[in-house]
Amino acid sequence: MNADKPASEPSVTEAVHAAGGMVGGMLLPWPDVDGEPFWRYALQGELRVQSCADCGLRRFPPRPCCPGCHSFDSRWQLTSGRGRIWSFVVAHPPLLPAYAEHAPYPVAVVELDDAPAIRLVGALTPSARRPDAPLDAVTAEAGARLRIGAPVQAVFQTVAPGVAVPRWALTGS
Ligand SMILES: [Zn+2]
């Protein structure tokens, strides 16, 4: 596993552990063995999902076995990163203090264009040029564009050294 990773480069899991699992009071992803590649590709700016090497079924969250044909062989398939908001909530306190500072802010469930059976949860941003926008930027600047079915594009915010998380940029007007 991870045979294509240079030995000198820490894994995302090691980077998360080095940061204590949290930065500025905000939680970092906590990869497991199956999920580590997802986060490594995210750090490269790629949204990839597991694809069964035998039947081609794409799956998320990462896991060792294909739910369709029970094969243990899989590859990480690049997606376009495009999708649509399938649902969303607007988070209000009680929240952890670092999150409460930005509330209310939206969190979306996004259906991928390439694999509509796959839905990912994430924070939104008003523009693909601003992966680092505050959590509440959409509420403040683009509330009218926030709706179920709105087109979005995955962008990647570096949240700690060696750790990046996908966010969803609203692409429609
Ligand atoms: Zn399969």
mmCIF file of all heavy atoms in Angstrom, residues 52-57 59 66-71 73, ligand 1:
data_model
loop_
_atom_site.group_PDB
_atom_site.id
_atom_site.type_symbol
_atom_site.label_atom_id
_atom_site.label_comp_id
_atom_site.label_asym_id
_atom_site.label_seq_id
_atom_site.Cartn_x
_atom_site.Cartn_y
_atom_site.Cartn_z
ATOM 1 N N CYS A 52 -14.054 -0.218 -8.377
ATOM 2 C CA CYS A 52 -13.781 -1.661 -8.337
ATOM 3 C C CYS A 52 -13.021 -2.065 -9.602
ATOM 4 O O CYS A 52 -13.437 -1.741 -10.719
ATOM 5 C CB CYS A 52 -15.088 -2.437 -8.226
ATOM 6 S SG CYS A 52 -14.838 -4.233 -8.274
ATOM 7 N N ALA A 53 -11.908 -2.790 -9.424
ATOM 8 C CA ALA A 53 -11.101 -3.212 -10.568
ATOM 9 C C ALA A 53 -11.781 -4.327 -11.347
ATOM 10 O O ALA A 53 -11.418 -4.594 -12.492
ATOM 11 C CB ALA A 53 -9.723 -3.668 -10.089
ATOM 12 N N ASP A 54 -12.769 -4.970 -10.756
ATOM 13 C CA ASP A 54 -13.432 -6.094 -11.437
ATOM 14 C C ASP A 54 -14.733 -5.678 -12.109
ATOM 15 O O ASP A 54 -14.964 -6.014 -13.260
ATOM 16 C CB ASP A 54 -13.672 -7.234 -10.440
ATOM 17 C CG ASP A 54 -12.370 -7.942 -10.096
ATOM 18 O OD1 ASP A 54 -11.599 -8.233 -11.032
ATOM 19 O OD2 ASP A 54 -12.104 -8.163 -8.904
ATOM 20 N N CYS A 55 -15.610 -4.942 -11.393
ATOM 21 C CA CYS A 55 -16.913 -4.610 -11.987
ATOM 22 C C CYS A 55 -17.061 -3.115 -12.290
ATOM 23 O O CYS A 55 -18.042 -2.706 -12.909
ATOM 24 C CB CYS A 55 -18.061 -5.086 -11.090
ATOM 25 S SG CYS A 55 -18.362 -4.049 -9.645
ATOM 26 N N GLY A 56 -16.094 -2.288 -11.838
ATOM 27 C CA GLY A 56 -16.119 -0.867 -12.184
ATOM 28 C C GLY A 56 -16.984 -0.007 -11.279
ATOM 29 O O GLY A 56 -17.021 1.215 -11.440
ATOM 30 N N LEU A 57 -17.689 -0.603 -10.324
ATOM 31 C CA LEU A 57 -18.546 0.176 -9.426
ATOM 32 C C LEU A 57 -17.702 1.153 -8.615
ATOM 33 O O LEU A 57 -16.681 0.773 -8.034
ATOM 34 C CB LEU A 57 -19.310 -0.772 -8.484
ATOM 35 C CG LEU A 57 -20.311 -0.122 -7.532
ATOM 36 C CD1 LEU A 57 -21.506 0.433 -8.310
ATOM 37 C CD2 LEU A 57 -20.787 -1.133 -6.484
ATOM 38 N N ARG A 59 -17.257 3.680 -5.394
ATOM 39 C CA ARG A 59 -17.802 3.656 -4.034
ATOM 40 C C ARG A 59 -17.158 4.716 -3.156
ATOM 41 O O ARG A 59 -16.027 5.136 -3.367
ATOM 42 C CB ARG A 59 -17.634 2.272 -3.403
ATOM 43 C CG ARG A 59 -16.186 1.812 -3.237
ATOM 44 C CD ARG A 59 -16.172 0.397 -2.678
ATOM 45 N NE ARG A 59 -14.858 -0.072 -2.280
ATOM 46 C CZ ARG A 59 -14.092 -0.877 -3.018
ATOM 47 N NH1 ARG A 59 -14.507 -1.267 -4.215
ATOM 48 N NH2 ARG A 59 -12.915 -1.286 -2.569
ATOM 49 N N CYS A 66 -15.699 -4.362 -2.544
ATOM 50 C CA CYS A 66 -16.761 -3.846 -3.420
ATOM 51 C C CYS A 66 -18.134 -4.335 -2.935
ATOM 52 O O CYS A 66 -18.322 -5.538 -2.777
ATOM 53 C CB CYS A 66 -16.526 -4.316 -4.846
ATOM 54 S SG CYS A 66 -17.870 -3.878 -5.968
ATOM 55 N N PRO A 67 -19.089 -3.408 -2.713
ATOM 56 C CA PRO A 67 -20.409 -3.844 -2.264
ATOM 57 C C PRO A 67 -21.192 -4.540 -3.382
ATOM 58 O O PRO A 67 -22.200 -5.186 -3.115
ATOM 59 C CB PRO A 67 -21.098 -2.535 -1.842
ATOM 60 C CG PRO A 67 -20.404 -1.465 -2.611
ATOM 61 C CD PRO A 67 -18.982 -1.939 -2.820
ATOM 62 N N GLY A 68 -20.731 -4.415 -4.639
ATOM 63 C CA GLY A 68 -21.442 -5.034 -5.747
ATOM 64 C C GLY A 68 -21.010 -6.474 -5.995
ATOM 65 O O GLY A 68 -21.835 -7.380 -6.078
ATOM 66 N N CYS A 69 -19.681 -6.701 -6.115
ATOM 67 C CA CYS A 69 -19.199 -8.036 -6.502
ATOM 68 C C CYS A 69 -18.243 -8.635 -5.471
ATOM 69 O O CYS A 69 -17.732 -9.735 -5.682
ATOM 70 C CB CYS A 69 -18.518 -7.961 -7.873
ATOM 71 S SG CYS A 69 -16.885 -7.193 -7.850
ATOM 72 N N HIS A 70 -17.982 -7.904 -4.379
ATOM 73 C CA HIS A 70 -17.160 -8.391 -3.259
ATOM 74 C C HIS A 70 -15.677 -8.546 -3.612
ATOM 75 O O HIS A 70 -14.932 -9.223 -2.897
ATOM 76 C CB HIS A 70 -17.718 -9.690 -2.682
ATOM 77 C CG HIS A 70 -19.145 -9.565 -2.230
ATOM 78 N ND1 HIS A 70 -20.020 -10.613 -2.171
ATOM 79 C CD2 HIS A 70 -19.863 -8.483 -1.852
ATOM 80 C CE1 HIS A 70 -21.209 -10.203 -1.764
ATOM 81 N NE2 HIS A 70 -21.136 -8.898 -1.566
ATOM 82 N N SER A 71 -15.258 -7.903 -4.696
ATOM 83 C CA SER A 71 -13.835 -7.917 -5.036
ATOM 84 C C SER A 71 -13.052 -7.024 -4.069
ATOM 85 O O SER A 71 -13.543 -5.995 -3.609
ATOM 86 C CB SER A 71 -13.646 -7.393 -6.460
ATOM 87 O OG SER A 71 -12.278 -7.161 -6.713
ATOM 88 N N ASP A 73 -10.082 -5.868 -5.126
ATOM 89 C CA ASP A 73 -9.193 -5.096 -6.000
ATOM 90 C C ASP A 73 -9.877 -3.789 -6.398
ATOM 91 O O ASP A 73 -11.004 -3.797 -6.881
ATOM 92 C CB ASP A 73 -8.868 -5.881 -7.275
ATOM 93 C CG ASP A 73 -8.007 -7.100 -6.979
ATOM 94 O OD1 ASP A 73 -7.190 -7.017 -6.035
ATOM 95 O OD2 ASP A 73 -8.160 -8.122 -7.672
HETATM 96 ZN ZN ZN B 1 -17.094 -4.858 -7.954
#
